[in-house]
Amino acid sequence: MSRRWLITGCSGGLGRVLAEAVLERGDQVLATARDPRSLADLVDRYPQTCRATALDVTKEGAAAAAVALCEQEFGGLDVLVNNAGHGMLGAIEEGTPEEYRPLFETNVFGVIETTRAALPALRKSGGGRIVMMSSGAGIAGIAGDGYYNATKFAVEGLSEALAQEVAPFGISTTIVEPGPFRTEFLGRSMRVAAVEMPEYAGTAGLRRRYRADHDGQQAGDPQKAIDVILRALDAEQPPLHLPLGDRAYTLARTKFTAFLESMDEWEPLAARTAFGDT
C-alpha cells in the first residue's frame, strides 16, 4: 500500500533525498520548506503524487495548516517526518541568546508543534509512523556542540515518551540518529557563534576546525541512509532508536560503556538513598 507523507525541511539534505525516494516508489508526499520554490522540480517530476507548501515550523499555526493540506490533497496522513532543523557550533560561554534561542525554536518547539498538529490525523490512519530526525549529537555531548546537543537530547526524551503514548493507537515512533553524512549540514545548515574565545581553542574550537575541514567531505552516503530508514519504517515493528553510520554507533557504545562502568563503581553507595538505608 502507498503511504501519505508529510516531510519537513525538504529543501536539501536527508529530507530532500527522503522525499525523492518516497516519491520514486509511488507514495504521496507533502514536501515542505520555508521557501517552496526550492521544491518546484519535485512537483514537476511527480505531479500526481507530490504537493509542496511553505512551512516554517516556528510560526504559529503553520504546521496545522500543512497537516490540513495533506488531508485535503491525499485524504489523510500516514507518516510524519520531523526533519527541519539546523546546527550551531560554539562553546557554551561563547553562545548568546540571540544565537541559541532560535535553535531551540526550530529544533525543539517546532518539532513539538508539528507533532501535536499531526497526531489527530495519524490516529485516524491507524498504523502510522513518526520519524524524529535526531543526530549522533542526541546520543552523546561533544565540546562545541553543546547547544545543538541540548536540542537533540530534548528530541530524544520527547520521542521516547511519545512512543509510549501513541503505541496504543498503532503508531510507531523512530528516532533517527545519523553520524556525518555528505549533506549541506556543515554548510548552510550550520550556525556558528560569533564570539570565538581563545580559552576554548583546544575544546570547542576543534569543532569549528572540524567543520572547515569536513564540509562536503563527510563519509556517509545520504542515499544509503535513506534506504535504511525506509527499510526500518517498512518493518512490522520499527526500531525506536536508529543510529546511522559507524560514527553514531561508536558514539553510542563509548558513552554506554562509560555510563555502565560509572554505575557499577558508584551503585553500592549511590543506590542506597532510601530512608533506613545504611
Side-chain angles (χ1 to χ4, degrees):
M1 290 180 59
S2 65
R3 287 177 171 152
R4 299 158 296 185
W5 298 63
L6 193 165
I7 308 174
T8 69
C10 293
S11 61
L14 293 178
R16 174 72 179 214
V17 181
L18 176 60
E20 291 178 341
V22 169
L23 287 164
E24 185 62 28
R25 69 180 196 171
D27 288 358
Q28 297 171 305
V29 177
L30 179 61
T32 75
R34 291 195 178 200
D35 183 356
R37 291 176 296 181
S38 64
L39 309 174
D41 64 309
L42 284 180
V43 178
D44 289 343
R45 286 159 54 196
Y46 303 95
Q48 301 302 317
T49 55
C50 183
R51 301 290 183 271
T53 190
L55 175 56
D56 179 345
V57 297
T58 68
K59 301 299 183 184
E60 184 176 357
V67 172
L69 179 60
C70 189
E71 291 187 293
Q72 173 187 314
E73 293 293 319
F74 302 140
L77 173 64
D78 302 303
V79 186
L80 168 67
V81 181
N82 280 308
N83 173 71
H86 60 88
M88 178 178 171
L89 292 177
I92 302 304
E93 189 175 353
E94 293 171 339
T96 66
E98 293 76 19
E99 292 170 329
Y100 60 71
R101 287 184 182 274
L103 182 73
F104 281 80
E105 289 291 340
T106 299
N107 291 12
V108 180
F109 301 121
V111 168
I112 291 172
E113 293 308 314
T114 303
T115 302
R116 291 181 65 243
L119 282 172
L122 289 168
R123 286 202 312 273
K124 293 176 192 174
S125 72
R129 303 283 194 254
I130 298 172
V131 180
M132 299 290 203
M133 295 300 294
S134 180
S135 167
I139 298 173
I142 300 174
D145 272 342
Y147 289 111
Y148 184 59
N149 289 137
T151 65
K152 292 305 182 181
F153 272 53
V155 168
E156 298 265 337
L158 177 82
S159 302
E160 289 180 359
L162 176 70
Q164 298 172 42
E165 294 172 0
V166 301
F169 308 125
I171 301 171
S172 73
T173 304
T174 296
I175 310 164
V176 180
E177 297 145 333
F181 281 84
R182 196 167 300 179
T183 68
E184 305 91 338
F185 181 73
L186 291 178
R188 66 181 181 88
S189 295
M190 182 65 71
R191 318 289 166 80
V192 182
V195 173
E196 184 173 3
M197 300 173 60
E199 292 86 345
Y200 295 103
T203 53
L206 298 177
R207 292 298 291 168
R208 294 176 184 256
R209 292 194 285 280
Y210 175 88
R211 179 201 184 199
D213 295 340
H214 291 82
D215 183 20
Q217 303 299 317
Q218 301 97 318
D221 181 339
Q223 186 60 61
K224 291 181 179 179
I226 296 307
D227 291 345
V228 175
I229 293 171
L230 290 176
R231 187 164 180 174
L233 294 182
D234 288 341
E236 185 175 345
Q237 294 184 325
L240 175 59
H241 290 276
L242 184 63
L244 288 175
D246 289 345
R247 174 62 174 162
Y249 280 87
T250 298
L251 280 173
R253 289 198 170 96
T254 300
K255 175 178 178 173
F256 298 149
T257 299
F259 199 153
L260 289 171
E261 289 174 351
S262 179
M263 286 176 59
D264 290 342
E265 178 183 357
W266 283 92
E267 185 178 10
L269 174 65
R272 300 185 63 79
T273 55
F275 288 106
D277 283 344
T278 60

